[in-house]
C-alpha cells in the first residue's frame, strides 16, 4: 500500500512541476497558455526579462500587432519566448537551454 501511495505522490509531483511544451510555468507555479493576455502573463510571471515589439505583421489574411516577451529561467532550463498577437498569447517557444 505504501508503494502505491508513493507512486501516486511521485506522479502528482511530476504533473505539477512539468508543463506542456506550448505552456510557460512561472516561478510562482502559475501556468501561462495560449489565449492569455499580456496583463494575465505579467500578473502571473512578473515583468519579462526582455520585451520586443516586432510590429504589424500579416497573419491569416489580416494584420496583427506582434510583441514578444522573454523569460529567462534558472540554469539548465529552456528560455521561454511568449509571442502575442494583438495582446493575446499566440505562441510559446522554447529557446536555448540556459548555461
Amino acid at each position: 500500500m505504501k508503494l502505491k501511495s508513493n507512486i501516486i505522490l511521485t506522479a502528482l509531483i511530476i504533473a505539477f512541476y512539468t508543463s506542456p511544451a506550448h505552456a510557460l510555468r512561472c516561478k510562482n507555479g502559475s501556468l501561462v497558455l495560449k489565449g492569455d493576455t499580456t496583463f494575465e502573463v505579467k500578473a502571473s510571471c512578473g515583468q519579462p526579462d526582455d520585451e520586443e515589439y516586432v510590429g504589424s505583421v500579416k497573419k491569416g489574411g489580416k494584420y496583427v500587432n506582434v510583441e514578444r516577451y522573454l523569460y529567462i529561467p534558472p540554469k539548465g532550463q529552456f528560455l521561454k519566448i511568449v509571442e502575442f498577437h494583438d495582446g493575446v498569447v499566440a505562441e510559446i517557444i522554447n529557446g536555448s537551454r540556459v548555461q
Side-chain angles (χ1 to χ4, degrees):
M1 185 67 169
K2 186 174 179 165
L3 177 62
K4 183 178 179 180
S5 60
N6 284 344
I7 292 171
I8 292 171
L9 180 61
T10 302
L12 288 172
I13 290 170
I14 290 170
F16 179 77
Y17 284 104
T18 59
S19 57
H22 60 278
L24 166 63
R25 175 77 62 189
C26 303
K27 292 177 185 173
N28 66 5
S30 297
L31 194 63
V32 171
L33 299 167
K34 288 182 180 181
D36 289 349
T37 65
T38 55
F39 177 81
E40 291 169 322
V41 173
K42 284 183 179 179
S44 295
C45 295
Q47 285 295 119
D49 294 294
D50 193 27
E51 291 183 48
E52 174 188 27
Y53 178 70
V54 176
S56 186
V57 177
K58 194 170 187 176
K59 297 272 185 179
K62 67 175 189 167
Y63 284 92
V64 295
N65 291 309
V66 177
E67 188 175 4
R68 291 187 185 128
Y69 289 179
L70 172 68
Y71 286 96
I72 302 173
K75 185 178 178 180
Q77 296 181 21
F78 292 98
L79 294 171
K80 290 290 188 172
I81 302 159
V82 184
E83 185 170 289
F84 299 89
H85 294 178
D86 290 334
V88 176
V89 176
E91 191 171 1
I92 300 172
I93 305 158
N94 284 330
S96 58
R97 190 178 296 270
V98 177
Q99 299 297 319

